[in-house]
Amino acid sequence: MAKKRKIPPVAKMVAGGTAGIIAKTAVAPVERIRILAQTGESRLGTMGTLTKIVKDEGFLGLWRGNVANCLRVFPAKAVLFYSNDMWKSKFKFILKAKDLPPGVGFISGSLAGMTASFATYPLDFARTRLSGTFASKFGEVGIWPVMFKTIQKEGITGLYKGIGPTLFGALPYEGIKFGCYEILGNAILKRKGQAQTSILDQFLCGAVAGTISGFVMYPNDTVRKILQMQERDGKSNFNGALDCYVRTFRNEGLSRFYRGVVPYLSRMIPNSAIQFGIYESFKQWYQRS
């Protein structure tokens, strides 16, 4: 049996970043609708919000904020996928094991998620402020104007508003996603064997893993988006993540945390499927070539 080629770190990072950009661009219209609902800017429902975006901003308005998102996604997914593989390799060395126990996938994914989130957070912040409101309400149309105006009004720390729940959420979110993907992938591998495992299996595992992690951690993402939108209109409504959780629940109930969850899950399924499918397919292609 031919020895598999070792994939260099740069190749893994490019593959992860490219997979992330393709996936995010494909589901950007659904993501825009979801963010408008999640931040409270729109309560028109999915079709009502879609209609308003197209009417006010044109068809390309559905991709408003996508450039900022891609600028964030490429380095974030590059670091994420590479870091996950790196941590798994470290754990294999430490445990002196060819195959890792299921729980290790949760740990490596959590560490990778926290690293990637911290490194690219200001871009995520700018994307939310671009996507999280209608263009008719605020005039900023690009990532750099948003970031410069934020620094001018709120200081450099304004770019890190909401980073607490982001890092808190990245640990379990990526841990659950990568952990579930590994468990599902191993189950399919044992049932079908390496030769019979297809790219569709990888897409399916990615879709299921992303849906589970996304639904579990959605309330945390809602709080993060609410905090990121603070002070854009000159007001600061919450004193940190915990205060946002408590007061939002008290004033609007549990359902507020799940506003926008339907479009979120509808975009999470293809988003995670594309990311994992492209990344794993690239690794298999590279090792065979």
Side-chain angles (χ1 to χ4, degrees):
M1 183 178 177
K3 186 177 180 180
K4 292 181 178 180
R5 292 176 64 191
K6 184 177 181 181
I7 307 175
V10 173
K12 286 186 177 182
M13 296 181 80
V14 171
T18 302
I21 284 179
I22 293 172
K24 292 295 185 182
T25 301
V27 301
V30 180
E31 178 74 347
R32 177 83 200 280
I33 293 169
R34 189 268 299 190
I35 292 178
L36 284 166
Q38 198 175 25
T39 58
E41 287 292 313
S42 174
R43 302 192 182 192
L44 302 174
T46 300
M47 292 308 299
T49 303
L50 173 65
T51 302
K52 182 172 175 56
I53 292 172
V54 175
K55 180 181 177 181
D56 292 353
E57 306 173 31
F59 184 71
L60 292 180
L62 295 170
W63 278 269
R64 186 172 192 246
N66 187 58
V67 173
N69 200 24
C70 287
L71 287 172
R72 174 190 69 89
V73 163
F74 188 90
K77 298 304 178 183
V79 173
L80 178 67
F81 280 96
Y82 169 69
S83 296
N84 183 62
D85 285 349
M86 179 197 72
W87 283 111
K88 285 167 64 176
S89 297
K90 297 293 185 184
F91 285 127
K92 285 181 180 179
F93 176 78
I94 293 171
L95 299 174
K96 294 181 172 58
K98 183 179 179 181
D99 297 316
L100 293 171
V104 176
F106 288 90
I107 298 173
S108 63
S110 296
L111 293 172
M114 187 174 67
T115 302
S117 295
F118 184 81
T120 61
Y121 187 78
L123 293 171
D124 179 49
F125 172 88
R127 184 282 299 256
T128 297
R129 287 210 168 173
L130 276 171
S131 300
T133 190
F134 292 106
S136 58
K137 188 174 181 181
F138 292 101
E140 303 100 319
V141 294
I143 179 174
W144 303 120
V146 168
M147 294 179 73
F148 290 145
K149 187 171 181 179
T150 299
I151 293 172
Q152 184 180 36
K153 292 181 63 178
E154 305 169 40
I156 192 70
T157 57
L159 295 176
Y160 289 89
K161 190 164 293 177
I163 194 171
T166 298
L167 296 179
F168 172 76
L171 284 165
Y173 173 77
E174 297 297 351
I176 293 170
K177 187 169 70 174
F178 278 99
C180 288
Y181 181 83
E182 189 171 314
I183 291 172
L184 293 168
N186 289 338
I188 291 176
L189 190 63
K190 289 179 181 178
R191 185 170 62 88
K192 301 176 69 172
Q194 181 71 51
Q196 299 299 318
T197 303
S198 68
I199 186 174
L200 292 177
D201 294 319
Q202 294 164 352
F203 273 79
L204 177 62
C205 291
V208 174
T211 301
I212 293 172
S213 61
F215 184 80
V216 170
M217 296 306 301
Y218 191 77
N220 184 78
D221 192 55
T222 295
V223 169
R224 184 169 69 96
K225 292 291 191 295
I226 292 173
L227 290 174
Q228 286 177 334
M229 292 300 292
Q230 277 197 115
E231 291 189 13
R232 182 163 187 168
D233 56 359
K235 296 184 295 184
S236 180
N237 300 316
F238 302 102
N239 184 25
L242 181 60
D243 182 50
C244 186
Y245 270 111
V246 173
R247 290 172 58 189
T248 299
F249 178 77
R250 184 185 301 155
N251 295 333
E252 302 183 65
L254 182 63
S255 62
R256 175 63 181 92
F257 294 106
Y258 286 94
R259 187 179 296 166
V261 72
V262 173
Y264 174 79
L265 293 180
S266 67
R267 72 93 183 172
M268 175 59 73
I269 293 172
N271 180 59
S272 294
I274 292 169
Q275 284 186 35
F276 278 102
I278 291 178
Y279 182 71
E280 294 296 336
S281 296
F282 169 81
K283 291 202 301 182
Q284 291 179 8
W285 168 81
Y286 191 93
Q287 290 172 335
R288 286 196 304 263
S289 63

